Amino acid sequence: MVTEIYERVLGFLEDPAGDRFEEIALAVFRHQFGGCSPFRLYCESRGRNPASVRDWREIPPVPISAFKAVDLCCGEPERVFLSTGTTQGIDNRSRHAMPDLRLYRASAIAGMRRFLFPDVDRLDLVSLIPPVAERPESSLAQMVAWAGEEFGCDGMVECVAAGEPSFETLVDSLRRSERDGAPLAILTTTGALIHFFDYARERSLEFRLPHGSRLMDTGGGKGAPRPMSRKGILHSVWSLFAIPGYFAVNEYGMAELSSQYYDSVIRDRFDGVHRGRVLMSPAWLRAVILDPKSLSPLPDGEVGLVCHFDLANAGTSLAVLSEDIGTIDGGGLRLLGRAPRAEARGCSISSAEWQLA
Amino acid sequence: MPEAEKEPETRDELAFVVERLVASRCALLGRDPRSIAAVVERAAEQWLIDESPWMCRAVDALAAAGPFSQAMLRYALPRMIEPLVDGALERLIEREVGGWSALERVDSPTLVLHVLPSNLPGHAAIPSALTLLLCSAALLKPGRDDRVFAGMWIESIRRVDADVGACVASVYWAGGSREVEDYAMNAADVVIAAGGDAAVAALRARCGGRFIGHGSRLSVALVARDSLDDLAAAGVVDDVAIWDQRGCLSPQVCFIEGSLDDARAFARRVQAGLSGASEVLPPARMEVGEILDERRFRDRAEWRGFAAGETDLYAVDGPPGAGSIAIEREFRLESTPLHRCLRVVAVDDLARVAALLAQNPARIEAAGVAASPQRFEEIAHALHSAGLGHVVPLGTMQKPDLSWRQGNRPRIAEWCGIR
């Protein structure tokens, strides 16, 4: 029974044609309601159950803070991933316990194929993301490892060792690509990329990568030496690597999800679509914008909390309420930042936490 | 009805106000401070009479300008003024200075700048009254949402005695007006500031003279095993609901002596009480960030309960801020997002709480205790020994009189160097 629903989702990930999202989402909800006791208690507290939920948007979204309190896993976890803890500290990390890793792998690979590599089977890959051997708890590290297996000509050139970036290794790969005329894909955190901008500027380095080279960055400003706008990043990617904006993709993912959003630019170019840069998701991941106060859905164009419905989370939590603010615009998702926290007021200590234990 | 002085845009505009204050203060120097106390007390009484025009207008104006409802303001604003009547000023002078005659030998500051916090309205009353008592002039910089009250309060003093009223001015300026702020900080002999830690620290760094800062603190409630009843719950509800915990005298953590089941039973009593309170004292309007903080607080407790198959959250149905009670399984002190969010911690013996608070007494403002008379004395003694200055019966935490030493400090002795 358990594998049946996962097989059904895997089938949709492999062939997402047809309007099956709702039907599968409701089946996944039934599975999670029956297979995850904390989730069932949560749904019951909201008066929701498989009999009352008729639309996938009615599935109660799980706040990401729930992943800090409980393993939302329908069965024994095969693998547990942790968030970075950037926002609330290392001791307050989300745990995403997955009972069937195939779902994450299939979703991640299909997403990359659709949005990063729609035009190529394989190419040289280089990564500024800590490798999975060093960070086995990182879902991003695992995704990059799978990228190397599926899309790398010769696996993945790792440019991080013992937690530290090895920019010399990256420079070697970039020079090799220039010399051989073989396009290169750079996978990096945004923070490491900005560090490399500074490293290259200090050394007056510049690269002219061959056409078809591309860059994927992710993770927002975590670990960055300074803030940079998306426009500034794209400008620097062009001037430093000669990678044009339409081959520079920002990925948006969360440890609590099994699927990712990507800038639409490579896919749009491949499909001959002309529009502005928006975050697109595969067919099995949908975003709904909710009113921050009431948590009721908002129409397209309005700004609110981003709620994700990810079928690849079939073994954990299909509906995840993030703390990101965004809007659905131009057919895709636009992220506008993190949900606000209250301004500290007056003489009574508020969210600026301090503890005695 | 007068409001605060026009917002000064330049140093010269503020200098004009300061020079006027200092000149007016000369009229106080020859006066018997008892007469000044009488003026202040008379003004305060005008605010506290039934259907006081001052109070009615202030409630209307503050409800329009800030987050609090008229019902909350009618209930809570008088508490900001009540400490000034019934001879309380004389008792304060006796306690801190040694009596009226001793006051003649005090070297009073010419000008005291009070940077008032923005958490609650009505902060202007007591500091200005106490400053006048020292025959000093008071320059008040009220919080953003409290500009109306300060101006009205000063006018009410003027109506009683124009000379005394002329020694107080309320001047609001938005943060960031460096030239104006620097002038104000340096024109005053003493700067007294209350607010968030960061804001107080920033002001302290810029102050050239004497600076007294009151940073962020929190308060706790303690309920003894013999008092886990509706009366104690009602006390918690009152202390939590008034001003929606924005004041540092509101408890954010309630330690109950008993088991987790006892904690849950007590939380249900508080939940019921807060539910009723939200009808009578509607919660303040909340900004999006505040609503999300409240939801995070609820989510964390609720999911911890789901994980254990138990209930760890007792939320009040109603608008945001109506009330949220979280059962904490760990014995520790952790603040809440305010807005009637309360942590309930079960402990086998309340004596352990004193030991916990003793780890950082400088961050604890007050404790409200519900216990039989004998236990109350025992608990209060332990808390005083742990460094807490303000220990009162639960349900009265939000009614401090002038004997409350904010931050464990004397009210006025420190302003003029008397300890």
Side-chain angles (χ1 to χ4, degrees):
Chain A
M1 177 61 190
V2 167
T3 53
E4 186 185 318
I5 185 67
Y6 298 159
E7 295 298 338
R8 197 168 159 194
V9 172
L10 286 166
F12 186 60
L13 268 53
E14 195 174 317
D15 178 16
D19 189 14
R20 287 178 290 152
F21 183 91
E22 172 141 17
E23 160 202 335
I24 297 173
L26 294 177
V28 168
F29 174 56
R30 282 194 294 275
H31 165 63
Q32 294 178 348
F33 187 89
C36 180
S37 171
F39 181 67
R40 185 174 62 251
L41 290 170
Y42 171 60
C43 292
E44 287 171 347
S45 75
R46 302 298 189 267
R48 306 281 174 87
N49 58 54
S52 67
V53 170
R54 301 297 174 87
D55 185 299
W56 60 273
R57 296 171 195 82
E58 295 170 8
I59 297 169
V62 172
I64 57 168
S65 54
F67 287 82
K68 302 180 198 326
V70 59
D71 280 352
L72 288 156
C73 189
C74 301
E76 284 300 306
E78 181 181 353
R79 184 83 175 270
V80 178
F81 294 109
L82 304 178
S83 67
T84 56
T86 310
T87 310
Q88 295 188 338
I90 200 83
D91 295 329
N92 204 8
R93 303 163 83 178
S94 285
R95 286 171 55 87
H96 193 179
M98 296 184 180
D100 190 334
L101 201 57
R102 292 178 306 158
L103 290 160
Y104 179 34
R105 188 179 197 280
S107 176
I109 289 170
M112 286 188 281
R113 178 169 288 120
R114 178 163 185 77
F115 295 109
L116 275 181
F117 307 114
D119 53 335
V120 291
D121 290 328
R122 289 181 176 273
L123 75 173
D124 289 334
L125 298 181
V126 61
S127 168
L128 269 171
I129 291 165
V132 72
E134 289 189 15
R135 295 277 309 280
E137 80 287 2
S138 164
S139 56
L140 176 63
Q142 180 58 73
M143 191 180 96
V144 169
W146 287 330
E149 293 168 18
E150 287 293 314
F151 303 107
C153 289
D154 191 17
M156 175 77 68
V157 175
E158 308 283 3
C159 298
V160 176
E164 294 297 322
S166 170
F167 290 146
E168 296 81 2
T169 308
L170 176 60
V171 169
D172 287 348
S173 293
L174 294 166
R175 291 295 181 221
R176 192 179 316 116
S177 173
E178 278 182 314
R179 189 177 61 240
D180 298 346
L184 183 69
I186 304 166
L187 310 183
T188 180
T189 61
T190 310
L193 178 65
I194 298 172
H195 274 293
F196 187 67
F197 290 158
D198 293 349
Y199 174 91
R201 192 179 61 239
E202 286 164 12
R203 290 160 182 76
S204 302
L205 297 175
E206 204 175 86
F207 309 92
R208 314 282 4 121
L209 297 181
H211 182 72
S213 295
R214 64 204 65 197
L215 178 137
M216 181 206 83
D217 73 302
T218 185
K222 294 172 195 168
R226 58 195 163 85
M228 265 188 99
S229 67
R230 179 59 28 194
K231 197 171 174 183
I233 288 171
L234 293 175
H235 183 266
S236 293
V237 166
W238 168 247
S239 57
L240 179 60
F241 302 119
I243 293 177
Y246 53 80
F247 271 124
V249 166
N250 182 242
E251 184 253 19
Y252 164 59
M254 296 163 54
E256 295 85 354
L257 295 179
S258 300
S259 306
Q260 300 77 35
Y261 297 80
Y262 293 88
D263 276 347
S264 59
V265 287
I266 295 178
R267 184 72 214 181
D268 284 348
R269 185 175 163 81
F270 182 74
D271 290 339
V273 173
H274 298 280
R275 64 172 163 185
R277 179 182 294 267
V278 290
L279 285 168
M280 296 295 292
S281 62
W284 52 90
L285 172 62
R286 292 186 181 178
V288 173
I289 305 300
L290 303 182
D291 182 312
K293 293 185 178 177
S294 66
L295 295 187
S296 53
L298 293 170
D300 286 1
E302 293 206 17
V303 174
L305 286 173
V306 184
C307 183
H308 308 281
F309 291 80
D310 182 5
L311 295 184
N313 262 10
T316 57
S317 176
L318 164 68
V320 176
L321 179 61
S322 77
E323 295 206 341
D324 292 316
I325 295 286
T327 182
I328 304 290
D329 186 23
L333 175 65
R334 286 186 202 278
L335 284 179
L336 303 171
R338 301 285 287 175
R341 287 184 174 268
E343 177 191 352
R345 271 175 183 275
C347 58
S348 191
I349 291 175
S350 80
S351 307
E353 294 290 320
W354 62 280
Q355 299 173 8
L356 297 177
Chain B
M1 189 59 60
E3 298 193 356
E5 300 274 352
K6 176 180 169 290
E7 192 170 325
E9 292 178 0
T10 65
R11 176 190 182 283
D12 285 349
E13 286 177 14
L14 182 61
F16 177 73
V17 176
V18 167
E19 286 162 12
R20 211 178 58 202
L21 279 176
V22 172
S24 300
R25 186 229 177 195
C26 295
L28 293 189
L29 291 176
R31 280 183 69 156
D32 182 346
R34 274 172 287 214
S35 74
I36 300 173
V39 168
V40 169
E41 192 160 334
R42 178 88 180 111
E45 286 165 355
Q46 294 301 308
W47 282 77
L48 297 174
I49 57 174
D50 285 345
E51 302 298 320
S52 157
W54 294 106
M55 188 63 77
C56 291
R57 287 173 195 157
V59 164
D60 286 347
L62 288 167
F68 294 107
S69 67
Q70 292 217 353
M72 176 67 82
L73 289 159
R74 274 195 298 272
Y75 186 66
L77 191 58
R79 296 175 185 223
M80 310 301 273
I81 301 167
E82 281 165 355
L84 295 173
V85 298
D86 294 334
L89 294 169
E90 181 167 3
R91 291 194 293 278
L92 176 77
I93 292 296
E94 184 67 38
R95 188 169 53 245
E96 290 198 8
V97 184
W100 294 115
S101 56
L103 204 53
E104 291 169 12
R105 300 189 295 275
V106 167
D107 185 17
S108 298
T110 301
L111 179 69
V112 179
L113 168 63
H114 293 277
V115 181
L116 304 170
S118 59
N119 55 336
L120 312 178
H123 273 305
I126 292 176
S128 58
L130 302 187
T131 306
L132 291 171
L133 220 53
L134 293 175
C135 299
S136 302
L139 178 63
L140 311 175
K141 197 264 184 190
R144 189 177 48 215
D145 296 336
D146 194 21
R147 284 174 269 182
V148 178
F149 175 82
M152 293 172 72
W153 168 248
I154 294 166
E155 182 59 21
S156 69
I157 297 174
R158 272 191 203 131
R159 294 279 180 95
V160 178
D161 188 311
D163 286 346
V164 177
C167 295
V168 192
S170 167
V171 180
Y172 176 82
W173 63 86
S177 180
R178 187 92 189 183
E179 185 192 37
V180 173
E181 285 179 1
D182 283 348
Y183 174 79
M185 300 284 286
N186 290 298
D189 303 284
V190 182
V191 177
I192 300 164
D197 285 346
V200 170
L203 287 174
R204 185 188 300 277
R206 289 167 56 191
C207 182
R210 291 195 62 206
F211 182 89
I212 298 168
H214 296 285
S216 298
R217 298 164 78 95
L218 68 74
S219 293
V220 298
L222 293 85
V223 184
R225 201 181 308 275
D226 59 24
S227 300
L228 286 167
D229 51 23
D230 283 339
L231 190 63
V236 171
V237 167
D238 210 41
D239 288 334
V240 163
I242 295 174
W243 298 131
D244 299 281
Q245 290 176 310
R246 291 181 185 222
C248 59
L249 288 171
S250 269
Q252 297 185 40
V253 183
C254 177
F255 295 96
I256 68 104
E257 203 170 40
S259 65
L260 264 179
D261 284 344
D262 294 329
R264 290 196 174 90
F266 191 71
R268 281 193 292 273
R269 293 176 193 264
V270 176
Q271 179 191 30
L274 284 174
S275 179
S278 74
E279 303 284 329
V280 183
L281 301 173
R285 280 195 306 275
M286 292 164 68
E287 294 169 4
V288 170
E290 293 169 332
I291 291 172
L292 296 179
D293 279 352
E294 180 202 43
R295 191 176 299 138
R296 290 175 186 114
F297 176 83
R298 287 185 171 197
D299 286 344
R300 186 178 147 194
E302 186 174 36
W303 280 93
R304 203 175 45 220
F306 291 146
E310 294 172 345
T311 302
D312 278 1
L313 174 71
Y314 295 88
V316 176
D317 287 336
S324 312
I325 304 126
I327 302 296
E328 297 294 337
R329 290 152 186 271
E330 292 180 40
F331 178 62
R332 65 177 183 179
L333 186 63
E334 186 177 358
S335 61
T336 74
L338 314 181
H339 309 290
R340 308 188 193 185
C341 292
L342 181 74
R343 300 185 194 280
V344 175
V345 182
V347 57
D348 52 354
D349 185 344
L350 287 179
R352 289 180 62 203
V353 178
L356 179 71
L357 302 185
Q359 292 177 30
N360 199 345
R363 306 295 284 176
I364 314 295
E365 187 60 45
V369 178
S372 62
Q374 186 185 343
R375 290 268 357 246
F376 185 96
E377 290 306 316
E378 290 170 13
I379 294 164
H381 177 73
L383 293 171
H384 286 311
S385 300
L388 261 74
H390 196 61
V391 181
V392 296
L394 205 48
T396 67
M397 296 177 75
Q398 298 271 24
K399 297 175 186 167
D401 58 23
L402 287 186
S403 68
W404 169 43
R405 295 157 68 111
Q406 185 178 6
N408 267 347
R409 288 196 169 109
R411 284 279 195 176
I412 57 170
E414 200 175 12
W415 302 1
C416 42
I418 301 169
R419 288 182 179 275

